[in-house]
């Protein structure tokens, strides 16, 4: 349906689809029944395959050791990876283009290159108890310059994958000096003194990646570990947000595709009142709505990726990333809800793909900005830059 598909992107799609179907999907139910965990040798195998494909550096230039893929090609990959539940596709860490552009030499050697090789893993700590949606205005974690060190104090909530990570990206406010109250982004090794694990709450999904709460008590960070300069923190975080929002949208499309595929097969087999349920219009309408919503969302995703690759103005892209994150996450949740309904009682069982997605996709309407916040971003972009900038 999409006229802009390229042979290279199609090649990636086929390759990743096979990886997901052959290696990852067969382990979903095991993960669901074991707190998200896989046998160590299987986890290692998945990581090794992902690294052998070069996935940790898909958006990093070839000169820096990455694959140099376009955003469109990257999202074709993430779309396929979204076809597996239980976060089994998070079997590798991903370096992003803004890291390559903004890390200093020390950071490139000690963090970017190990990320690309799959030796180190990152996590991103911005949210706090009182700073969620209003993250920029309400952050209370401070960074105080003392000699060639920054002293970090504060508490970070829901730090995804921190249990498996080697270092944090941490957003803090500068405590004093000419840049007082400005934002800054730091890289902090997880093993340094003063980092305290406060709690590991349980969430709706069953992932080996936790979303824990950490306190930073007088944690000393070398000056060379600030990314860019004081005051630039939010710029990098916005770059991270844009990338993650596209990734979420792509995975939501992949999830919807898997759900429609599986539930259609079921509807064609399941007999009720002497006929296949696929022959009842009530079922057909739910499937048709899901197909239509997926098809239109995917086209929008691909076009926004192409706008990214064409280096459209970053402020317009920011609004477009909100548009597709909102659109895809809401779409995938509706598809999951309908799929549970079509599966009937089976759709409420944890070994059913629809049941797992029904729980897992819910957070896509919350993290990386709630649906309400994305509507606000879109409306603000509409007021400032006009309708044509968003729909062309
Ligand atoms: C499983 C999980 C993993 C996460 N991982 C990470 C992570 O790795 N790193 C990280 O830093 N954060 C992470 N987060 C945090 C996540 O990004 C926030 O939860 C999210 O941004 C919302 O913030 P909040 O939970 O504080 O909600 P709040 O900001 O308290 O919002 C509560 C409600 O009010 C609404 N609301 C708020 N302001 C407005 C407004 N102006 N107009 C209309 N409605 C409004 C919201 O939409 C929401 O419905 C994670 C969260 C979860 C649940």
């Amino acid at each position: 349906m999409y006229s802009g598909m390229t042979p290279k992107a199609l090649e990636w799609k086929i390759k990743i689809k096979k990886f997901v179907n052959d290696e990852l999907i067969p382990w979903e139910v095991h993960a669901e029944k074991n707190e998200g965990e896989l046998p160590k040798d299987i986890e290692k195998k998945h990581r090794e395959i992902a690294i052998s494909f070069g996935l940790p550096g898909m958006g990093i230039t070839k000169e820096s050791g990455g694959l140099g893929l376009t955003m469109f090609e990257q999202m074709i990959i993430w779309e396929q990876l979204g076809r597996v539940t239980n976060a089994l596709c998070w079997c590798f860490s991903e370096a992003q283009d803004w890291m390559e552009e903004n890390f200093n030499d020390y950071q490139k050697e000690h963090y970017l290159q190990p990320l690309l090789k799959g030796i180190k893993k990152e996590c991103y700590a911005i949210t706090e108890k009182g700073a969620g949606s209003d993250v920029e205005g309400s952050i209370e974690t401070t960074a105080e310059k003392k000699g060639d060190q920054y002293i970090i104090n504060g508490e970070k909530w829901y730090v995804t994958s921190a249990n498996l990570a080697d270092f944090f990206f941490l957003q803090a406010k500068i405590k004093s000096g000419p840049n007082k109250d400005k934002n800054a982004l730091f890289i902090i090794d997880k093993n340094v003194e003063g980092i305290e694990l406060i709690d590991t709450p349980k969430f709706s999904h069953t992932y080996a990646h936790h979303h824990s709460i950490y306190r930073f008590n007088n944690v000393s960070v070398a000056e060379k570990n600030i990314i860019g300069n004081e005051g630039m923190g939010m710029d990098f975080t916005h770059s991270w947000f844009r990338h993650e929002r596209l990734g979420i949208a792509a995975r939501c499309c992949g999830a919807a595709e898997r759900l429609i595929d599986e539930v259609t097969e079921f509807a064609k087999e399941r007999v009720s009142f002497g006929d296949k349920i696929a022959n009842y219009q009530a079922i057909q309408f739910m499937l048709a709505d899901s197909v239509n919503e997926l098809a239109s969302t995917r086209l929008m995703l691909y076009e926004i990726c192409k706008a990214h690759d064409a280096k459209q103005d970053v402020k317009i892209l920011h609004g477009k990333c909100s548009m597709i994150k909102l659109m895809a996450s809401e779409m995938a949740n509706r598809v999951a809800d309908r799929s549970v309904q079509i599966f009937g009682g089976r759709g409420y069982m944890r070994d059913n793909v629809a049941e797992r997605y029904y729980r897992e996709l819910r957070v896509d309407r919350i993290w990386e900005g709630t649906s309400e916040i994305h509507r606000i971003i879109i409306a603000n972009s509409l007021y400032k830059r006009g309708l044509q900038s968003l729909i062309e």
Side-chain angles (χ1 to χ4, degrees):
M1 177 176 253
Y2 180 59
S3 60
M5 183 58 78
T6 62
K8 189 173 170 191
L10 194 58
E11 214 174 285
W12 274 108
K13 179 175 177 164
I14 293 165
K15 185 170 173 171
I16 301 301
K17 187 169 193 166
K18 185 167 166 39
F19 170 51
V20 168
N21 287 355
D22 295 355
E23 304 291 345
L24 302 183
I25 287 178
W27 288 97
E28 287 176 334
V29 175
H30 179 98
E32 184 58 41
K33 291 181 174 164
N34 292 278
E35 303 281 324
E37 303 283 346
L38 298 184
K40 291 291 162 216
D41 57 328
I42 299 299
E43 192 192 303
K44 184 165 173 271
K45 184 181 176 198
H46 292 169
R47 189 169 51 251
E48 283 174 357
I49 296 172
I51 292 168
S52 75
F53 288 168
L55 299 187
M58 54 178 118
I60 302 296
T61 61
K62 289 185 178 167
E63 299 78 68
S64 293
L67 294 175
L69 299 187
T70 62
M71 190 57 82
F72 173 62
E73 290 158 353
Q74 291 175 57
M75 292 307 144
I76 289 287
I77 291 175
W78 276 116
E79 187 185 344
Q80 287 308 309
L81 291 170
R83 291 177 52 259
V84 63
T85 63
N86 298 84
L88 297 187
C89 66
W90 294 354
C91 53
F92 62 97
S93 286
E94 192 193 7
Q96 297 180 4
D97 52 5
W98 63 271
M99 301 177 192
E100 181 182 12
E101 287 155 19
N102 295 287
F103 277 14
N104 60 32
D105 288 345
Y106 173 82
Q107 292 160 3
K108 281 183 180 159
E109 185 187 340
H110 288 85
Y111 301 101
L112 182 65
Q113 285 304 324
L115 270 181
L116 289 177
K117 294 185 181 112
I119 300 167
K120 282 190 180 174
K121 177 160 182 55
E122 87 299 352
C123 59
Y124 214 107
I126 319 170
T127 304
E128 299 176 4
K129 186 178 182 182
S133 300
D134 179 20
V135 75
E136 189 167 356
S138 304
I139 278 183
E140 288 184 352
T141 297
T142 56
E144 186 170 21
K145 187 90 186 287
K146 290 215 167 140
D148 62 355
Q149 302 285 310
Y150 283 92
I151 308 302
I152 310 286
N153 277 293
E155 190 173 287
K156 292 293 181 184
W157 274 44
Y158 309 122
V159 191
T160 295
S161 305
N163 57 317
L164 307 172
D166 301 283
F167 64 90
F168 294 86
F169 289 110
L170 179 135
Q171 185 100 36
K173 269 191 175 164
I174 301 296
K175 191 167 181 185
S176 55
N179 293 321
K180 184 174 176 328
D181 290 337
K182 286 193 176 164
N183 265 289
L185 189 66
F186 297 89
I187 300 178
I188 306 182
D189 289 316
K190 209 176 109 187
N191 58 6
V192 300
E193 210 177 316
I195 300 179
E196 189 186 349
L197 174 62
I198 301 295
D199 192 16
T200 300
K202 291 270 186 195
F203 291 84
S204 300
H205 54 220
T206 314
Y207 288 5
H209 297 251
H210 302 158
H211 316 282
S212 301
I213 300 173
Y214 285 85
R215 192 171 297 146
F216 295 76
N217 305 299
N218 290 317
V219 173
S220 185
V221 186
E223 195 177 21
K224 63 190 174 196
N225 275 27
I226 186 172
I227 305 175
N229 299 316
E230 292 179 1
M232 292 175 75
M234 228 33 228
D235 296 343
F236 304 133
T237 293
H238 280 148
S239 299
W240 169 275
F241 282 162
R242 280 191 293 279
H243 193 92
E244 291 299 309
R245 287 166 186 175
L246 286 177
I248 286 171
R251 288 196 294 278
C252 282
C253 288
E257 181 181 320
R258 167 108 185 266
L259 282 164
I260 297 169
D261 271 343
E262 295 225 4
V263 82
T264 304
E265 284 309 304
F266 175 77
K268 284 178 174 174
E269 294 298 322
R270 179 69 178 162
V271 174
S272 173
F273 295 97
D275 199 358
K276 305 271 171 66
I277 63 168
N279 292 329
Y280 297 129
Q281 282 192 341
I283 302 295
Q284 291 171 353
F285 285 8
M286 284 194 270
L287 289 173
D289 285 345
S290 295
V291 170
N292 256 8
E293 289 178 26
L294 169 60
S296 52
T297 305
R298 217 160 69 151
L299 286 177
M300 185 169 158
L301 170 69
Y302 292 170
E303 288 298 344
I304 291 175
C305 290
K306 292 270 169 148
H308 194 286
D309 290 329
K311 307 231 174 300
Q312 196 172 38
D313 178 81
V314 77
K315 292 206 166 93
I316 296 173
L317 279 178
H318 201 76
K320 287 186 171 178
C321 287
S322 283
M323 286 166 68
I324 190 58
K325 197 273 194 180
L326 171 67
M327 181 87 167
S329 60
E330 298 279 340
M331 176 277 296
N333 272 269
R334 287 193 297 274
V335 172
D337 184 75
R338 292 182 196 119
S339 301
V340 169
Q341 200 65 18
I342 297 172
F343 274 118
R346 288 166 179 79
Y348 200 59
M349 293 165 75
R350 287 202 169 207
D351 59 4
N352 183 289
V353 66
E355 192 280 339
R356 293 194 300 279
Y357 271 130
Y358 185 74
R359 277 179 292 121
E360 295 181 11
L361 291 166
R362 188 62 183 82
V363 77
D364 288 321
R365 292 166 58 197
I366 296 171
W367 61 13
E368 297 299 336
T370 63
S371 289
E372 292 72 34
I373 295 305
H374 289 299
R375 288 188 175 95
I376 292 170
I377 295 173
I378 296 163
N380 284 338
S381 196
L382 170 72
Y383 300 153
K384 282 186 196 152
R385 292 171 200 94
L387 176 61
Q388 292 310 312
S389 73
L390 292 174
I391 62 172
E392 275 180 352

